């Protein structure tokens, strides 16, 4: 294990190599803020009527309400995000339980552990134990499983490609999936080789949430998945509602709240404050802004998007 930020383990076989970076520093591609702006004002298409939130999508999923809805249960899945690009669920796994080994064909799976203790096994990576605040990325075509090794139900928030059915090694019995019939096959290419700047895991509370140190760095980025870590101090004041923020023409954006208090103003909704474990969604085409609320000294949000780097449309300066 290397100091500062452990981001994955070295791998075993050729063709099964995954990222083994020891830290973000010096190994990242440029963040969006380093890229040039559009050279002139332009016309952007915006929905005449704001994009609706179709269930299970909501502007603000409160973790407290999710846990209350599943009180007394140990094994459950709560759908949270459904859009044409990504699905997101809260998952609870009972003590001593283990998921079936599985993998996804062409897109990674990301999850954030929020309670309990789980052993994560990914082919080509040394198994590791993840506790609250661990951010985990499983490259596509890598078989993985999650086992609850703690004394209470484990909880995590999971994001994957929209509508993607898992694949299973021949040793497993596939779970039923609506509209699909599993057949035994062989295939190629094999497990993906992820880019070096994409970590397998990050222990957020031990390596990022240290004192009052701000952080603005990537977690994982590829052509179908982007997620970074935005940590900073409280704002002096809540901006006025006349500050609309920006909107995205084609993509829905959502956030996992890691610490502190994140304030949001999303078109059609009054300003609200989200707390750790909450999920907030800005449906495509809606004006929105996110920022650290004055009520917490340090706050962190994890934005999740389906493309790098999504175009941000702002009102022109007057």
């Amino acid at each position: 294990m290397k100091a500062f930020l452990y981001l994955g383990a070295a791998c075993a076989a050729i063709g099964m190599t995954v990222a083994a970076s020891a830290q973000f520093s010096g190994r990242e591609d440029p963040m969006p803020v380093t890229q040039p702006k559009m050279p002139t004002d332009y016309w952007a298409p915006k929905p005449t009527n704001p994009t609706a939130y179709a269930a299970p999508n909501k502007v603000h999923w409160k973790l407290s309400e999710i846990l209350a809805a599943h009180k007394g249960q140990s094994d459950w899945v709560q759908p949270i995000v459904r859009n044409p690009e990504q699905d997101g669920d809260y998952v609870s796994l009972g003590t001593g339980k283990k998921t079936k080994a599985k993998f996804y064909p062409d897109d990674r799976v990301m999850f954030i552990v929020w309670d309990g203790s789980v052993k994560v096994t990914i082919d080509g990576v040394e198994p590791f134990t993840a506790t609250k605040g661990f951010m985990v990325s499983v490259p596509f075509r890598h078989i993985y499983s999650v086992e609850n090794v703690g004394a209470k139900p484990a909880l995590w928030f999971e994001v994957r490609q929209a509508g993607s059915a898992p694949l299973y090694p021949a040793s497993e019995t596939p779970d039923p999936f609506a509209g699909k019939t599993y057949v035994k096959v062989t295939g190629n290419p094999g497990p993906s080789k992820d880019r070096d700047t994409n970590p397998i895991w990050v222990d957020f509370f031990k390596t990022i949430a240290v004192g009052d140190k701000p952080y603005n760095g990537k977690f994982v980025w590829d052509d179908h998945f982007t997620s970074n870590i935005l940590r900073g101090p409280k704002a002096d004041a809540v901006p006025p509602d006349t500050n609309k923020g920006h909107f995205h023409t084609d993509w829905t954006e959502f956030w996992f709240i890691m610490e502190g208090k994140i304030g949001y103003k999303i078109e059609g909704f009054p300003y609200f404050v989200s707390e750790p474990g909450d999920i907030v969604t800005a449906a495509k085409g809606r004006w929105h802004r996110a920022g650290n609320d004055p009520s917490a000294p340090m706050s962190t949000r994890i934005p999740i998007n389906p493309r790098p780097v999504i175009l941000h449309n702002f009102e022109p300066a007057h």
Side-chain angles (χ1 to χ4, degrees):
M1 233 179 255
K2 296 186 179 180
F4 178 63
L5 185 57
Y6 187 98
L7 299 183
C11 339
I14 295 174
M16 297 180 65
T17 303
V18 292
S21 304
Q23 58 187 22
F24 287 127
S25 179
R27 304 201 64 173
E28 299 177 30
D29 298 326
M31 289 293 288
V33 293
T34 67
Q35 298 182 358
K37 296 181 179 180
M38 294 295 292
T40 185
D41 293 349
Y42 54 92
W43 295 102
K46 189 176 183 303
T48 303
N49 298 312
T51 304
Y53 286 87
N57 300 292
K58 298 198 312 185
V59 67
H60 185 191
W61 273 99
K62 297 181 180 181
L63 177 59
S64 59
E65 296 176 350
I66 297 170
L67 296 178
H70 295 281
K71 186 176 181 179
Q73 304 172 21
S74 60
D75 297 270
W76 50 266
V77 176
Q78 174 64 60
I80 301 292
V81 174
R82 292 293 184 275
N83 64 54
E85 291 78 39
Q86 294 173 316
D87 292 343
D89 296 331
Y90 251 117
V91 180
S92 178
L93 184 68
T95 304
K97 299 290 185 65
K98 182 179 180 180
T99 66
K100 291 182 178 181
K102 60 184 177 181
F103 64 100
Y104 286 87
D106 301 304
D107 289 278
R108 73 179 65 250
V109 177
M110 167 193 167
F111 59 93
I112 300 174
V113 178
W114 206 240
D115 201 7
S117 180
V118 296
K119 178 182 178 182
V120 182
T121 302
I122 304 171
D123 64 9
V125 178
E126 182 180 351
F128 58 92
T129 299
T131 54
K132 182 175 181 177
F134 267 67
M135 303 172 65
V136 181
S137 172
V138 183
F140 55 93
R141 293 195 290 275
H142 283 263
I143 298 171
Y144 76 100
S145 63
V146 179
E147 180 181 4
N148 186 342
V149 294
K152 60 181 178 179
L155 181 69
W156 67 86
F157 178 65
E158 175 180 300
V159 184
R160 58 194 178 276
Q161 181 189 25
S164 184
L167 287 71
Y168 300 85
S171 57
E172 294 280 12
T173 299
D175 290 332
F177 195 96
K180 306 287 185 180
T181 299
Y182 281 94
V183 297
K184 188 173 289 188
V185 297
T186 187
N188 65 69
S192 70
K193 183 185 184 305
D194 211 348
R195 63 176 65 182
D196 288 342
T197 50
N198 284 332
I200 294 297
W201 58 267
V202 174
D203 186 348
F204 173 81
F205 287 112
K206 287 187 178 179
T207 58
I208 303 295
V210 179
D212 58 358
K213 181 181 178 181
Y215 190 87
N216 183 358
K218 297 176 181 179
F219 175 46
V220 291
W221 285 51
D222 62 31
D223 59 350
H224 278 189
F225 200 113
T226 72
S227 180
N228 52 307
I229 303 168
L230 302 178
R231 184 176 198 252
K234 66 180 181 180
D236 293 332
V238 175
D241 286 351
T242 52
N243 181 346
K244 296 180 180 179
H246 60 269
F247 70 90
H248 305 300
T249 305
D250 295 315
W251 311 115
T252 290
E253 180 175 22
F254 58 98
W255 301 262
F256 185 93
I257 313 306
M258 287 292 281
E259 67 168 334
K261 308 277 189 179
I262 303 293
Y264 285 91
K265 181 66 178 71
I266 295 177
E267 182 180 359
F269 298 89
Y271 179 84
F272 63 90
V273 176
S274 57
E275 299 184 342
D278 290 359
I279 311 295
V280 177
T281 299
K284 67 178 181 179
R286 285 189 184 245
W287 292 105
H288 61 276
R289 71 167 198 263
N292 297 345
D293 189 77
S295 60
M298 296 294 293
S299 297
T300 303
R301 62 189 185 273
I302 310 297
I304 300 171
N305 291 283
R307 294 290 184 275
V309 172
I310 290 177
L311 179 62
H312 293 56
N313 301 292
F314 296 87
E315 287 191 308
H318 298 294

